């Protein structure tokens, strides 16, 4: 069973940038699609970015043009580069398969966007 661990969250001002990392316990190419999700208090998980094992990417309209999902196959890691951050981007960010597998939800990493 693959394990996924998120890191890289923190406090950033509006307009700032942050890079999140999702480290997998085995090759990410063994997963058909890895996604970054976010969850704000009182809200459902929102899928914001996906990378398929062939390298194709998808983005939610709310983040397209600002966020970039990428991977380092050798390091078994998927990244989310976030730029031009807005207060509404604040949430706990998780990585998981797409569609999500319930057993794969981890602790997530907190992203706070505030001045």
């Amino acid at each position: 069973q693959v394990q996924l661990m998120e890191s890289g969250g923190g406090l950033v001002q509006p307009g700032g940038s942050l890079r999140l990392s999702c480290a997998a316990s085995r090759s990410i190419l063994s997963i058909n699609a890895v996604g970054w999700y976010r969850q704000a208090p009182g809200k459902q998980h929102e899928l914001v970015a996906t990378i398929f094992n062939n390298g194709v990417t998808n983005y939610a309209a709310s983040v397209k043009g600002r966020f970039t999902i990428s991977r380092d196959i050798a390091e078994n890691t998927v990244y989310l580069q976030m730029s031009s951050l807005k207060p509404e981007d604040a949430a706990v960010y998780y990585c998981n398969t797409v569609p999500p597998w319930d057993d794969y939800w981890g602790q997530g990493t907190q992203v706070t966007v505030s001045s």
Side-chain angles (χ1 to χ4, degrees), residues 62-77:
S62 59
V63 307
K64 193 171 185 178
R66 300 188 297 118
F67 290 11
T68 301
I69 188 169
S70 62
R71 66 187 180 185
D72 187 326
I73 295 172
E75 294 293 329
N76 295 341
T77 301

Side-chain angles (χ1 to χ4, degrees), residues 2 7 39 41-42 48 55 66 74 86 95 107:
V2 68
S7 64
Q39 186 175 41
V48 298
R66 300 188 297 118
K86 305 174 180 179
C95 57
Q107 297 299 308

Side-chain angles (χ1 to χ4, degrees), residues 4-16:
L4 303 170
M5 184 174 66
E6 306 92 346
S7 64
L11 173 65
V12 64
Q13 293 184 332

Side-chain angles (χ1 to χ4, degrees), residues 18-87:
L18 206 59
R19 187 179 72 167
L20 308 183
S21 298
C22 173
S25 60
R26 56 182 170 90
S27 176
I28 57 176
L29 294 180
S30 69
I31 306 168
N32 185 57
V34 177
W36 280 99
Y37 301 77
R38 65 188 182 189
Q39 186 175 41
K43 295 186 177 180
Q44 296 178 326
H45 289 97
E46 176 191 16
L47 178 63
V48 298
T50 303
I51 186 164
F52 296 89
N53 62 9
N54 63 2
V56 172
T57 58
N58 280 337
Y59 299 92
S62 59
V63 307
K64 193 171 185 178
R66 300 188 297 118
F67 290 11
T68 301
I69 188 169
S70 62
R71 66 187 180 185
D72 187 326
I73 295 172
E75 294 293 329
N76 295 341
T77 301
V78 175
Y79 301 98
L80 185 68
Q81 177 67 51
M82 305 182 294
S83 300
S84 301
L85 282 161
K86 305 174 180 179

